Amino acid sequence: MALWAKSQTLTDDALRHMQSLYGHHFPIEVRHILAEWIEEQKWYDLDEEMSCAEDMARQILNEMIQLINQRSNGLSGDMFVYKLKLQEQALHLQEVYSNNPLELIRVVKKCLNTEKTLVEQCEQGGSLVLNGITAQAEKERQIAAKFDFLHKCTQETDSDLRNSQHEQETFILKYQDSAKVKAQLDQFEMEIQGTANAQKVEHYNQMKKRKEAMDKELGNLAQKILRLRLTLADKHNETFHHLSALQTQITDQELIDWKRQQQLAGNGASFDANLDLLQKWCEGLAEIISKNRQQIKKVELLRAQLPIEVPPPHIDLLPTLNTTITGLLSSLVTSTFIIEKQPPQVLKKESRFSATVRLLVGGQLNVHMNPPQVKATLISESQAKSLLKNDKNLKAEMSGDILNNQGTMEYQQPTGTLSVNFRNMQLKRVKRGDRRGNECVMEEKFSVLFQSNFSVGGGELVFQVWTLSLPVVVTVHGNQECNALATVLWDNQFAESGRVPFTVPESVTWPQLADMLNYKFMSATGRPLTPDNLNYLASKLFQGQPNQSFTSCVASWTTFYKDTLPGRTFTFWEWFYAILKLTREHLKGPWCDGLIIGFISKNDTEAKLSQQCGGTFLLRYSDSMLGGITIGWVTDASGSRQVWNLAPFSSKDFVIRSLADRIQDLPQLVYLHPTMAPKADTFGKYWTKSQEDNPKVVDGYIGTELVTRLPGMETNTSSAQQMTYENPQTPIHNPASPSGGFVNSPGYATSEMGPDNPNDMDLESIGNLTDYNMPDDIITGEALNQLIQNVGGGFNFDQPTLDDPNSQ
């Protein structure tokens, strides 16, 4: 059943959450009418770092709009209104995403990921995710209720302010009347001086009483205005208290949590990068702050027009209120200047990279009316520390030169976003600092500093904002990526909130480290590590037994990254990274299908296979070779079971012929452990179609086909069963041997590739696996050379040592 069909069966909170994914940014009607086409697109193959990514995204956008119009044109009758709505949505999508088609890709990916998660969890009875959805919905409801409360408070203070203004205007009018009466009274007093006119004296006394009444009324009115001002100040103070609490929740909790999830996403954790809800909240805060700030400015103006001193024991809150509301606005602006898309954390010199910076309150504050410039610079860890200490001079310093490092923020009217997308930055020079102790160059961390200046309120307030990217490690060569990635992963996983840049703990518990390894492996290969896989990794790291508990064990950075494994020339991380890279590039399909056990020792392999029937095999990652995978299988020889292991295959081998095709080539491999399914049922879908019946002819030439075989063995199961430990028939070549000799090792067998022509060998792809260390004793292969005539690309060697007269 298609994903959309399953999504329509969701109920209650899951259904409401699914519906909330869609809106003007991606209408649910479009999801419905283009469901099949949407699910057929290879959204996850579109890497935003690719140079052609934007063109591919624009092609998808144009095709989507074309399909919407085609489907809508086919509607008639009762569907007329629906037809008009679809056509309107097509125009809206064109307007929203024409300048930024990659945003459409991100939106659709998010919707599909969330749909898939909801469907999977509901099918499994996943109450955990549903509880999480319910908790998120409840949190959004509570925040919405707080906004409603603040809006009501703001409306109430606005009403009180208008009332206070009205009373003040009344006071001023009455005061002017009182002033006129006083002037008349003063003039009349001068006229009656020295006279005994009783009528004038009576009139004077009446005017005097009227003036006293007016003064009394003015005094009462002044007291009323003062009470209104004090009450208004108290209400503003209470509003600001609730406003500050809500802003702390949004910027210091929700936004910081988003940034933390963004950091963990660098290790492969799932991440909802959508900022629409956070922007809605931040813009809501900006709106309320702006309204209250305008009210405070109006109060100041009214007080300037009619100064009334606040008598003790009352406290004049106005100066504090002004400072508070301005501080809230400043904090909101600086907190919402964020990096929406981080630059790559393993940053290779001279390579193009991109980043996106966004101001969540830019539209609400009309910052786009005078679009600000944003500048990116590379700074060191020590410079980042000084910057956090308010050393403003540091903003002019840098630790490298970045090309195309300035851009202007652009406002997207349909979405209300103000952002700048740096698409073609390039690091040209890096200035490395002094390293601590035995710290290597790939442990040195930098950060990209983004900074800008802009004003709001017609230049009334000027803000200098800046934000730091996640730590980056600068490389100059591809072979540094492994160690650089280790530094980045450790920092992403174990960085603590509010840390001093870029300190991380030296040691962590095994469960913490296991989470990091699992995140990365799952994101790279498509399937998580099993508890057995993780236990095996722990036994490898701590030199224990796979069946013991490692929960209380502590792994240090040195053990993980620097110390070589016993008897090997590589570290635990180098071994794990090589396996991850091999699986991602060549074994992703079989790994995701659960066909590769992978993380299992040679002894456990032999123990499991020795209990199975002949022809049973499994795949495990090599312990002795970086980025190698071997096949272990059991044979029935003379009535006894014996377990053999093929020499490990590497990436270079799979460039020549895939793992699935090699398994197809070997008749000795019949049933896959532990399901015991025939190999055709498990690996068949990955087999390359043979050209044997219909050979491909190009320019009159028929191409050859490489086939894997075991030298010295017949191509049927019965001859394979003749191998014994006492009489091994299959030598194995050791690529690490400086002499290029062969290993005659019980339990190991080598594979050959045909056709048998030594001139067809890829000399550039062999002899480079210097970290290959066979666990068994190495002996001369002279006595066995006669069994091998021409060794092809099935394994690597340094130089030909065969006693073949044709060998040059």
Side-chain angles (χ1 to χ4, degrees):
M1 185 185 296
L3 175 60
W4 182 240
K6 294 180 180 179
S7 297
Q8 295 176 68
T9 64
L10 297 173
T11 59
D12 301 329
D13 290 330
L15 178 61
R16 285 190 288 272
H17 185 68
M18 187 272 289
Q19 290 174 321
S20 69
L21 296 172
Y22 299 96
H24 289 296
H25 59 285
F26 189 44
I28 196 169
E29 294 86 357
V30 174
R31 174 68 176 99
H32 178 72
I33 201 170
L34 299 184
E36 184 178 354
W37 177 84
I38 287 173
E39 293 174 28
E40 287 176 352
Q41 304 308 303
K42 298 181 179 179
W43 304 99
Y44 303 98
D45 292 345
L46 202 157
D47 186 355
E48 297 178 22
E49 296 298 328
M50 295 168 24
S51 58
C52 59
E54 187 166 347
D55 292 335
M56 295 172 63
R58 182 167 284 105
Q59 182 179 351
I60 291 176
L61 171 63
N62 293 336
E63 187 175 353
M64 176 183 287
I65 293 171
Q66 183 179 357
L67 284 173
I68 295 173
N69 289 326
Q70 288 178 358
R71 302 286 173 85
S72 64
N73 290 333
L75 300 176
S76 60
D78 295 339
M79 303 298 290
F80 178 72
V81 176
Y82 188 52
K83 171 183 178 179
L84 294 179
K85 188 170 185 179
L86 284 173
Q87 291 175 346
E88 180 183 345
Q89 290 169 347
L91 291 174
H92 177 72
L93 290 174
Q94 178 71 42
E95 181 182 0
V96 172
Y97 297 113
S98 59
N99 293 328
N100 188 13
L102 286 173
E103 180 62 24
L104 173 67
I105 306 302
R106 288 191 284 268
V107 168
V108 176
K109 280 183 180 180
K110 176 204 171 185
C111 293
L112 295 179
N113 281 335
T114 307
E115 274 187 40
K116 184 177 180 181
T117 301
L118 290 172
V119 168
E120 289 176 351
Q121 293 298 328
C122 287
E123 288 177 344
Q124 300 169 8
S127 59
L128 182 61
V129 169
L130 292 180
N131 289 340
I133 294 172
T134 304
Q136 175 66 19
E138 177 62 20
K139 179 174 64 179
E140 293 178 14
R141 188 196 64 79
Q142 291 177 358
I143 290 178
K146 292 178 181 179
F147 271 113
D148 289 340
F149 173 76
L150 286 170
H151 279 298
K152 290 179 181 178
C153 290
T154 303
Q155 292 172 359
E156 184 177 340
T157 52
D158 186 62
S159 177
D160 289 349
L161 179 58
R162 287 198 300 270
N163 186 30
S164 179
Q165 182 179 0
H166 174 72
E167 295 294 339
Q168 182 166 321
E169 290 171 350
T170 301
F171 178 91
I172 293 174
L173 292 174
K174 290 183 177 295
Y175 182 82
Q176 289 177 346
D177 291 340
S178 176
K180 290 179 182 178
V181 172
K182 184 178 184 304
Q184 294 175 2
L185 191 62
D186 290 342
Q187 182 179 0
F188 210 74
E189 183 179 5
M190 292 176 61
E191 292 178 358
I192 65 173
Q193 286 181 358
T195 181
N197 191 321
Q199 185 178 0
K200 288 186 178 182
V201 171
E202 178 64 23
H203 184 62
Y204 172 79
N205 291 334
Q206 289 177 356
M207 290 182 62
K208 189 174 182 181
K209 289 180 181 180
R210 181 185 172 194
K211 177 67 171 62
E212 291 174 353
M214 294 180 72
D215 289 345
K216 184 177 181 181
E217 183 180 5
L218 286 173
N220 292 334
L221 192 54
Q223 291 182 357
K224 182 179 180 180
I225 294 173
L226 179 60
R227 286 195 300 270
L228 287 174
R229 289 181 178 180
L230 294 175
T231 302
L232 182 60
D234 289 337
K235 288 184 177 181
H236 272 134
N237 191 42
E238 183 180 0
T239 299
F240 294 178
H241 173 74
H242 292 288
L243 182 58
S244 177
L246 181 57
Q247 180 166 316
T248 298
Q249 179 182 0
I250 292 173
T251 60
D252 294 355
Q253 295 179 27
E254 299 300 325
L255 188 55
I256 294 299
D257 182 64
W258 183 89
K259 291 181 179 180
R260 177 58 180 156
Q261 295 304 315
Q262 184 189 51
Q263 186 174 25
L264 290 175
N267 287 8
S270 60
F271 172 54
D272 181 4
N274 191 284
L275 284 164
D276 291 347
L277 183 59
L278 278 169
Q279 176 163 315
K280 176 184 175 182
W281 287 342
C282 292
E283 287 182 336
L285 289 171
E287 179 186 6
I288 295 173
I289 289 174
S290 297
K291 288 182 177 180
N292 279 275
R293 190 166 180 272
Q294 289 300 320
Q295 291 180 12
I296 295 299
K297 291 172 66 177
K298 188 66 176 290
V299 169
E300 289 181 333
L301 179 61
L302 291 176
R303 287 200 179 190
Q305 292 175 347
L306 182 60
I308 302 176
E309 293 186 3
V310 178
H314 301 287
I315 300 176
D316 187 2
L317 298 177
L318 184 61
T320 304
L321 293 175
N322 194 1
T323 303
T324 300
I325 198 65
T326 304
L328 285 175
L329 180 60
S330 176
S331 175
L332 180 65
V333 170
T334 55
S335 298
T336 55
F337 184 70
I338 62 172
I339 303 174
E340 182 177 11
K341 179 190 172 188
Q342 292 282 341
Q345 290 187 263
V346 177
L347 186 57
K348 188 176 180 182
K349 186 181 174 185
E350 304 288 349
S351 294
R352 185 178 68 90
F353 67 97
S354 62
T356 302
V357 178
R358 182 168 168 180
L359 181 62
L360 297 180
V361 296
Q364 180 65 38
L365 298 178
N366 293 321
V367 176
H368 58 282
M369 301 303 291
N370 185 18
Q373 292 279 325
V374 181
K375 181 180 179 181
T377 53
L378 186 74
I379 64 173
S380 66
E381 181 175 341
S382 60
Q383 289 169 338
K385 291 178 181 177
S386 299
L387 187 62
L388 289 184
K389 294 178 181 178
N390 255 345
D391 188 348
K392 298 181 180 180
N393 295 327
L394 257 297
K395 294 181 181 179
E397 294 190 14
M398 61 183 69
S399 292
D401 295 332
I402 301 177
L403 293 182
N404 304 317
N405 67 331
Q406 295 192 47
T408 303
M409 302 194 85
E410 299 178 355
Y411 182 67
Q412 302 295 331
Q413 183 70 35
T415 58
T417 59
L418 182 68
S419 62
V420 55
N421 187 8
F422 296 92
R423 300 180 181 179
N424 296 293
M425 289 192 291
Q426 188 179 70
L427 181 61
K428 299 297 293 183
R429 181 186 65 86
V430 60
K431 178 182 177 182
R432 300 198 180 272
D434 297 330
R435 292 183 288 277
R436 301 181 294 266
N438 61 348
E439 184 182 63
C440 70
V441 67
M442 289 298 100
E443 294 179 81
E444 186 178 7
K445 302 173 189 176
F446 295 87
S447 180
V448 180
L449 169 67
F450 297 93
Q451 51 188 325
S452 180
N453 299 318
F454 56 85
S455 62
V456 298
E460 178 189 2
L461 294 176
V462 178
F463 294 98
Q464 295 183 349
V465 295
W466 57 269
T467 185
L468 289 173
S469 75
L470 295 174
V472 300
V473 178
V474 178
T475 66
V476 295
H477 194 278
N479 61 13
Q480 295 176 313
E481 180 180 355
C482 172
N483 291 335
L485 184 60
T487 300
V488 166
L489 291 179
W490 192 279
D491 189 280
N492 286 346
Q493 193 73 21
F494 308 122
E496 297 177 354
S497 179
R499 64 171 174 171
V500 175
F502 294 106
T503 57
V504 287
E506 179 62 27
S507 300
V508 296
T509 64
W510 166 246
Q512 291 175 305
L513 183 59
D515 284 343
M516 183 190 83
L517 297 176
N518 190 35
Y519 279 146
K520 191 59 184 178
F521 206 87
M522 178 171 59
S523 67
T525 66
R527 181 169 74 86
L529 299 169
T530 66
D532 288 341
N533 295 154
L534 292 171
N535 231 41
Y536 176 76
L537 291 174
S539 69
K540 187 89 171 174
L541 181 65
F542 299 112
Q543 300 304 308
Q545 296 300 318
N547 57 354
Q548 74 181 79
S549 174
F550 298 94
T551 305
S552 60
C553 291
V554 175
S556 69
W557 167 250
T558 301
T559 304
F560 170 78
Y561 175 77
K562 295 183 178 181
D563 294 343
T564 57
L565 294 171
R568 309 297 179 203
T569 60
F570 46 79
T571 66
F572 171 86
W573 166 250
E574 289 171 336
W575 172 79
F576 180 83
Y577 173 80
I579 290 174
L580 181 148
K581 192 169 185 289
L582 173 77
T583 307
R584 179 186 62 201
E585 295 176 354
H586 300 286
L587 309 175
K588 198 170 185 177
W591 170 260
C592 288
D593 290 346
L595 307 181
I596 300 174
I597 293 180
F599 297 99
I600 183 174
S601 66
K602 181 181 177 183
N603 290 337
D604 286 345
T605 297
E606 294 177 352
K608 289 180 181 295
L609 292 179
S610 62
Q611 305 299 319
Q612 307 300 325
C613 62
T616 302
F617 68 98
L618 64 76
L619 297 100
R620 70 177 182 87
Y621 295 118
S622 173
D623 287 318
S624 56
M625 170 182 173
L626 284 178
I629 188 170
T630 182
I631 303 175
W633 83 98
V634 63
T635 64
D636 292 329
S638 303
S640 62
R641 290 189 178 90
Q642 298 173 0
V643 177
W644 291 81
N645 294 277
L646 276 181
F649 297 111
S650 69
S651 293
K652 293 181 180 179
D653 298 316
F654 295 139
V655 170
I656 299 171
R657 190 161 177 81
S658 71
L659 173 67
D661 287 339
R662 291 173 185 270
I663 291 174
Q664 180 188 20
D665 294 341
L666 298 174
Q668 295 83 3
L669 310 180
V670 184
Y671 307 108
L672 178 66
H673 181 79
T675 62
M676 300 307 293
K679 65 181 180 182
D681 295 344
T682 52
F683 287 93
K685 67 179 181 180
Y686 299 109
W687 290 348
T688 303
K689 186 176 180 180
S690 175
Q691 302 179 13
E692 184 175 341
D693 298 330
N694 187 20
K696 185 177 181 180
V697 180
V698 180
D699 296 333
Y701 292 94
I702 298 178
T704 59
E705 188 174 78
L706 298 174
V707 178
T708 304
R709 66 183 178 88
L710 297 181
M713 298 177 60
E714 300 293 333
T715 57
N716 57 65
T717 306
S718 60
S719 65
Q721 294 172 348
Q722 296 175 4
M723 292 189 303
T724 66
Y725 281 95
E726 291 77 17
N727 184 26
Q729 299 296 313
T730 54
I732 178 170
H733 175 263
N734 179 10
S737 172
S739 65
F742 287 85
V743 176
N744 185 9
S745 172
Y748 269 94
T750 185
S751 59
E752 269 191 345
M753 298 291 291
D756 297 329
N757 183 356
N759 295 324
D760 292 338
M761 293 186 295
D762 183 3
L763 297 180
E764 293 184 0
S765 66
I766 57 183
N768 294 325
L769 299 177
T770 58
D771 289 318
Y772 189 119
N773 295 301
M774 296 302 299
D776 304 299
D777 295 334
I778 299 178
I779 65 173
T780 177
E782 295 179 0
L784 301 175
N785 284 342
Q786 58 184 349
L787 298 178
I788 306 174
Q789 297 179 359
N790 292 300
V791 180
F795 54 86
N796 301 317
F797 57 91
D798 297 320
Q799 57 185 5
T801 59
L802 305 179
D803 298 328
D804 189 334
N806 296 322
S807 178
Q808 301 297 325

